[in-house]
Amino acid sequence: MVIPHRVKYWSSEAEYNAPDGRIGIEIGNLLKSLKSFPDAKHDAMEAGNCIAFGMFTAAVYHLMRCAEFGLVSVAKSANVPEEKMAQGWDKCIQGIEGEIKKIESQTTKIDHWKERTKVLSDLASWFTTIRTGWRNPVSHIPRGYSENVASSMFAAVGTLFDRLSREEFRQ
């Protein structure tokens, strides 16, 4: 049973797909943010249900997986080679940072280069924070997460994907 203040995170695939289905407002908002990242939907729903049922560390794990879809999208946009992306978060972030340096060092600048480097720099910072603060710690003991922290991270992932959508990143 989901206690009342956590209902806003609960969802089911059947309810989500039903024309008059009811899901929690927080997961509903996150799923709207993920419309350009359909493969991230499963982990987002799992994260919400983990919060709904009091499994906060598991929620953070699923949120990290969800965020990885955004990381890969940004890395592809930054021309990070597939083999480098397959090596994980560190290589993706290094590849994004390498693209920023490449753009900044070119004598003939591309159109809107300042805007492009700002977007990539901001997103590289987001992903570095997620990697260092969530991804790495959630994978090792004894780190655990509280309800407040998991809920805050849930909101942060929504903010991240809102930003990715505004910048027209896609899965």
Side-chain angles (χ1 to χ4, degrees):
M1 182 166 138
V2 178
I3 59 177
H5 78 277
R6 293 186 194 148
V7 169
K8 59 188 173 188
Y9 296 100
W10 179 85
S11 66
S12 75
E13 194 73 36
E15 287 292 321
Y16 177 72
N17 291 321
D20 59 346
R22 296 183 53 104
I23 62 173
I25 191 164
E26 293 294 334
I27 186 61
N29 289 337
L30 180 54
L31 292 173
K32 285 177 193 168
S33 298
L34 292 172
K35 65 183 175 189
S36 298
F37 295 86
D39 289 349
K41 180 181 86 169
H42 173 77
D43 278 299
M45 292 175 84
E46 289 291 313
N49 286 332
C50 285
I51 292 174
F53 290 101
M55 299 178 291
F56 310 119
T57 301
V60 172
Y61 176 79
H62 285 288
L63 290 169
M64 176 274 308
R65 287 176 48 90
C66 190
E68 192 166 339
F69 285 97
L71 172 63
V72 169
S73 175
V74 174
K76 283 183 182 179
S77 161
N79 303 310
V80 177
E82 289 285 333
E83 63 274 3
K84 196 170 188 178
M85 285 192 297
Q87 294 175 11
W89 282 65
D90 288 337
K91 295 297 182 182
C92 286
I93 293 167
Q94 287 170 9
I96 295 165
E97 291 168 342
E99 178 69 5
I100 294 165
K101 288 176 184 169
K102 178 182 165 191
I103 293 169
E104 291 175 336
S105 69
Q106 291 174 338
T107 54
T108 305
K109 303 289 187 198
I110 61 170
D111 290 342
H112 310 290
W113 71 272
K114 283 186 180 181
E115 295 87 355
R116 175 80 172 146
T117 58
K118 180 173 179 357
V119 167
L120 291 176
S121 294
D122 289 349
L123 292 169
S125 294
W126 268 87
F127 292 118
T128 298
T129 299
I130 291 169
R131 178 200 64 208
T132 305
W134 309 0
R135 182 188 179 275
N136 294 349
V138 80
S139 301
H140 306 285
I141 57 173
R143 186 75 178 255
Y145 291 88
S146 68
E147 180 173 359
N148 287 340
V149 173
S151 297
S152 295
M153 290 177 170
F154 194 92
V157 169
T159 301
L160 170 65
F161 278 95
D162 286 342
R163 173 74 190 277
L164 290 170
S165 294
R166 275 195 318 275
E167 300 296 341
E168 299 184 358
F169 286 95
R170 304 285 178 257
Q171 181 170 300

